[in-house]
Amino acid sequence: MAVVRLLFILFLCLWISTEVVARTGNTITNKTNVPTRPSVVRVGVLFTLNSYIGRSAKPAILAALDDVNNDTTILRGIKMEVILVDTNCSGFIGTLEAMQFMENEVVATIGPQSSGIAHVISHVVNELHVPLLSFGATDPTLSSLQYTYFVRTTHSDYFLMNAVADVIDYYGWKEVIAIFVDDDNGRGGITALGDALAKKRSKISYKAAFAVGASTSDISILLNAVNLMESRVYVLHVNPDTGLSIFSLAKKLGMMGNGYVWIATDWLPSVLDAIEPADPDTMKLLQGVIALRRHTPDTDLKKRFISRLKNSKNKETTGLNSFALYAYDSIWLAARALDAFLNEGGNISFGTDPKLHDTNGSALHFTSLRSFESGSQFLKKVLAMNFTGLSGQIQFDGDKNLIHPAYDILNIVGTSRTIGYWTNYSGLSVVAPEILYTKPPDISSSNQHLSSVIWPGETTTTPRGWVFPDNGKPLRIAVPNRVSYTDFSSKSNNPPGVKGYCIDVFEAAINLLPYPVPRQYILYGDGHTNPSYSEITDEVAHGNFDAVVGDIAIVTSRTRIVDFTQPYMESGLVVVVPVKEVKSSPWSFLHPFTAQMWCVTGAFFLSVGAVIWILEHRLNHEFRGSKTKQLMTIFWFSFSTLFFSHRENTVSTLGRMVLLIWLFVVLIINSSYTASLTSILTVQQLTSQIEGIDSLISSNQPIGVQDGSFIADYLTNELHIAKSRIVNLKSEQDYIDALDRGPQGGGVAAIVEELPYMEILMSKTKCKFRTVGQEFTKSGLGFAFQRDSPLAVDLSTAILQLSENGDLQRIHDKWLKTLSCSAQANDSGSNQLSLSSFWGLFLICGIACFLALVIFFVRVFLQYKKYIPDSEEGEEDREHVVTPISAKRTFKSTASFKDLIGFVDRKEAEIKEILRDKSKKRQRSRSLDRHSDYSNN
């Protein structure tokens, strides 16, 4: 609204002279018959001639005008003229000059370079339908839908500030100070920078604005104030004609040395490119500065143009910057769009604006302002253009922005050295944008690259970008005033007023930083109960403290409001229950196996021994002898296999097979027995049925938690445990008493606590309490700082260094040296092994024994069949005495069973010898029979 009011005030100041009134009488108010293709078209050009931009843009515009008029393929028969007007860096004068353009029936206006003037003129061109093609007004707010006829023929500062934000994020800086001119261009650009930094979780910590035309003393005071602040990263967004004076003042104040970072926007390359040859003193002043320049492809067309202007006799500048290239392309954009407009039957005609016709009797006459009646159609042709100019591809997207915004990233080191490029296509890269456009877009963090930089102070080490403010104010550090577990942090009567493990770790990390950190420790809490750690982190988030140094668990709810360092101690929630020692028993060695398992194992020892004896008895003399000896051999062999100490050798194939399988079974049983017995003798028994967090949740028993910790909220909100089950415990003695009493005595069934505290408790009680189950959360203890504090990053690096050199462990041992209670509590009954765990092994062994016996007896039966016939013949020879038939049958049956037992009991070698002899006798008998038959015949 302020701009609109300014516009009306300017109108009131216009056209008071009689010259305006006289001219008004000659103005054609009605539509005139203008030829379809006029012989002359006029374009207004508006910018400050005596400026870095103006001195480069003027010869480029005149050269473009000559090229258009000399090109027979465009605007055939039509001469383009420009009305060149100097705004003298004045918004008022610029507006007046723009009004005069409109009297001369211009089809387009080129310029201005000032965003402030562009805001005002945009209202005029909107009313008169004359496209405004600006090669210098870069304020992002000009892209608003409000300014319909404003067309930016260069890139908006929106893209420039996104490039700056990517550079800041690339080097890891979180806070910057913006120094800018407090005008439309400065405010719009810095607002865009703040939005871009917010996407990177960075911010502008201070906006140092100065007025247009500010004096040297005012700027010096501003820089002095900035130098007292924390951030050392400065983004300088000013006008080209005043920027170098700021660097001169910064040099005098010592702000161009080691540790400082200066990022200049596109104004600085515009100045340096316009000065040729480069001034050595200026380049020395700017040593280490990072600057961004609009990228223009290094084409032959561009090279020929630059060479042409440098060799011209009437050149008005020694160098050309990017604005000159965009100004040249703006003339060609107007010419090409006008040619397309006319070729499609467009009519160039002007008339008076009906809104300005009635002046209500005022002496001001606005009817001299000429409205382009086909301006909307001409605007469409402008936005539809697509051609290659000196600055690159001239083509607009749906938001009226030029496509492919790109910037060169420069490092000033005696000359302008390109260290990379930025595009909204692939971010930061050392590859030229023209090459990147031929590849798929990739804006991932791993694809962001820049070449090495020489920073102010001629150092290659990237500045950390901040220091402690030089105002003597120390950091306000909150320290929890603990009542329990005071080894972590507590009050001390000696400086610095606090002590504990956390304090020593923090002090050791601070001492590793390459800069001093003034600090003041402030105890938080009443000293009667542990303070709420959530409240402490809230105090930091609200700015009441700069940091919290203590045993602060890094949990999700806290990371949303503060920044944590690298964890200096691992942590996690565990369940702790009381345990009791297992009393020694003379029968403890029987506990590993159930009774059923003992019986089955013993039966298999005897069975396998018997099977081995059967298989080896006929072949192995070690399994022969008296009946007593053989019985002892069976028992000895069976149980000696338990220790793999059997001295009898097996010689049969079947016996070896059964023994091999049985020894494998014995190995498994022996190992399992040893492991189970060890577990039973070393593990303690639980006094409750709580075996972990799952069983604790399913029960209805009370749970103890540390007063002031986040655990109560975690159990109720995340695990949905009723609040009535939560019992707050204030001290270590409360922990012990609650666990000793148990649920029946008004205590708790278990305590849910962070592991570091429980390690101390278990150590002090000599492992009277133990953890059950596993840690069901994983976190750590860290130091909390305000959001985006750079100190958090540096301290994280220092903590890692403490961990690597062993100092962190030494501090831990000094304060938190604990006993080892690694054996986890469990129920001894669950360690007993039953038959269900081994029935598969016993089944395999039983099947092997059965198959071996079947094969053995089949083999014996076949041998016995060969042995029986001869035995019966001998018996028939001896039966010459007459006996009763029944007695004879009984005698044969008894004799046959005894013969079978005797046959089995004989040695294998004897049986084979007998069978060989019988075989020879049969052969002789058959031979005699054949001979007798031959004689009788």
Side-chain angles (χ1 to χ4, degrees), residues 694-742:
D694 293 331
S695 59
L696 184 61
I697 293 174
S698 61
S699 70
N700 293 318
Q701 296 178 332
I703 304 170
V705 299
Q706 183 179 175
D707 187 30
S709 72
F710 71 97
I711 302 174
D713 292 336
Y714 177 81
L715 294 180
T716 55
N717 297 333
E718 300 296 333
L719 302 184
H720 308 294
I721 295 177
K723 289 185 177 180
S724 57
R725 295 177 58 191
I726 306 300
V727 178
N728 289 317
L729 304 174
K730 297 181 179 180
S731 65
E732 297 172 57
Q733 189 59 44
D734 289 345
Y735 280 59
I736 298 172
D737 294 342
L739 287 173
D740 286 340
R741 292 196 307 269

Side-chain angles (χ1 to χ4, degrees), residues 377-454:
Q377 289 81 5
F378 179 52
L379 176 64
K380 293 179 181 179
K381 292 300 176 183
V382 170
L383 297 177
M385 285 295 99
N386 183 2
F387 66 95
T388 301
L390 298 180
S391 60
Q393 189 72 16
I394 305 299
Q395 183 181 357
F396 297 93
D397 60 18
D399 296 325
K400 298 196 301 184
N401 293 315
L402 286 177
I403 64 171
H404 299 326
Y407 292 87
D408 301 334
I409 313 297
L410 309 178
N411 181 209
I412 313 300
V413 282
T415 184
S416 299
R417 183 172 65 97
T418 301
I419 60 172
Y421 307 91
W422 179 91
T423 65
N424 66 338
Y425 188 78
S426 295
L428 299 175
S429 176
V430 294
V431 180
E434 293 75 32
I435 300 176
L436 291 175
Y437 295 144
T438 62
K439 302 177 181 179
D442 185 2
I443 58 174
S444 61
S445 57
S446 61
N447 195 50
Q448 306 301 294
H449 301 289
L450 289 176
S451 300
S452 60
V453 176
I454 299 177

Side-chain angles (χ1 to χ4, degrees), residues 779-853:
S779 62
L781 305 182
F783 305 128
F785 289 84
Q786 292 181 9
R787 292 299 297 269
D788 302 321
S789 171
L791 189 59
V793 178
D794 287 357
L795 275 179
S796 295
T797 304
I799 290 172
L800 290 175
Q801 187 175 346
L802 288 175
S803 177
E804 292 171 357
N805 62 23
D807 288 343
L808 194 60
Q809 184 62 42
R810 283 189 285 271
I811 298 173
H812 179 276
D813 294 341
K814 172 186 173 183
W815 288 97
L816 307 176
K817 193 171 183 180
T818 58
L819 295 176
S820 176
C821 296
S822 58
Q824 196 176 47
N826 208 336
D827 186 2
S828 62
S830 63
N831 288 330
Q832 279 194 319
L833 301 174
S834 63
L835 181 62
S836 60
S837 302
F838 300 94
W839 70 266
L841 286 173
F842 288 133
L843 178 63
I844 293 173
C845 185
I847 293 174
C849 292
F850 176 76
L851 292 177
L853 289 176

Side-chain angles (χ1 to χ4, degrees), residues 433-651:
E434 293 75 32
I435 300 176
L436 291 175
Y437 295 144
T438 62
K439 302 177 181 179
D442 185 2
I443 58 174
S444 61
S445 57
S446 61
N447 195 50
Q448 306 301 294
H449 301 289
L450 289 176
S451 300
S452 60
V453 176
I454 299 177
W455 303 98
E458 299 184 0
T459 177
T460 57
T461 302
T462 302
R464 65 174 181 270
W466 68 279
V467 294
F468 279 95
D470 191 16
N471 54 15
K473 182 180 177 181
L475 289 178
R476 289 171 51 85
I477 300 176
V479 177
N481 190 10
R482 294 195 59 89
V483 176
S484 62
Y485 304 107
T486 55
D487 289 336
F488 285 94
S489 65
S490 62
K491 182 179 180 180
S492 174
N493 296 325
N494 299 320
V498 290
K499 63 180 180 179
Y501 168 67
C502 302
I503 307 302
D504 281 5
V505 172
F506 183 76
E507 287 289 329
I510 286 290
N511 292 333
L512 291 177
L513 299 181
Y515 48 86
V517 181
R519 54 200 177 276
Q520 176 188 2
Y521 294 107
I522 303 172
L523 285 169
Y524 188 91
D526 57 11
H528 301 292
T529 59
N530 289 330
S532 171
Y533 282 21
S534 296
E535 292 180 2
I536 301 179
T537 52
D538 287 341
E539 293 284 346
V540 175
H542 295 152
N544 297 326
F545 294 104
D546 297 304
V548 177
V549 172
D551 47 331
I552 311 296
I554 304 173
V555 295
T556 304
S557 60
R558 295 172 185 170
T559 57
R560 294 192 181 105
I561 58 175
V562 295
D563 282 348
F564 280 94
T565 62
Q566 170 80 16
Y568 60 86
M569 189 178 196
E570 295 298 324
S571 182
L573 294 183
V574 294
V575 178
V576 177
V577 296
V579 294
K580 63 181 180 180
E581 297 289 344
V582 178
K583 295 181 180 180
S584 300
S585 169
W587 305 104
S588 296
F589 67 92
L590 295 176
H591 290 168
F593 290 162
T594 61
Q596 184 185 32
M597 180 66 181
W598 279 117
C599 293
V600 173
T601 302
F604 260 84
F605 269 105
L606 294 176
S607 300
V608 171
V611 170
I612 296 295
W613 178 84
I614 293 173
L615 299 176
E616 293 290 321
H617 178 70
R618 303 183 71 202
L619 299 173
N620 194 339
H621 68 88
E622 294 182 354
F623 288 86
R624 302 186 67 84
S626 63
K627 293 181 180 180
T628 303
K629 179 182 177 182
Q630 294 184 56
L631 186 61
M632 291 301 297
T633 298
I634 293 174
F635 279 96
W636 166 254
F637 183 84
S638 299
F639 291 101
S640 63
T641 55
L642 178 63
F643 308 101
F644 304 98
S645 60
H646 50 282
R647 62 172 180 265
E648 292 82 6
N649 296 319
T650 52
V651 296

Side-chain angles (χ1 to χ4, degrees), residues 19 71 81 135 207 286 409 619 700 725 797 860 899 937:
E19 179 183 356
D71 193 334
E81 294 181 354
F135 61 87
K207 294 181 180 180
L286 301 174
I409 313 297
L619 299 173
N700 293 318
R725 295 177 58 191
T797 304
V860 170
D899 289 342
N937 293 331

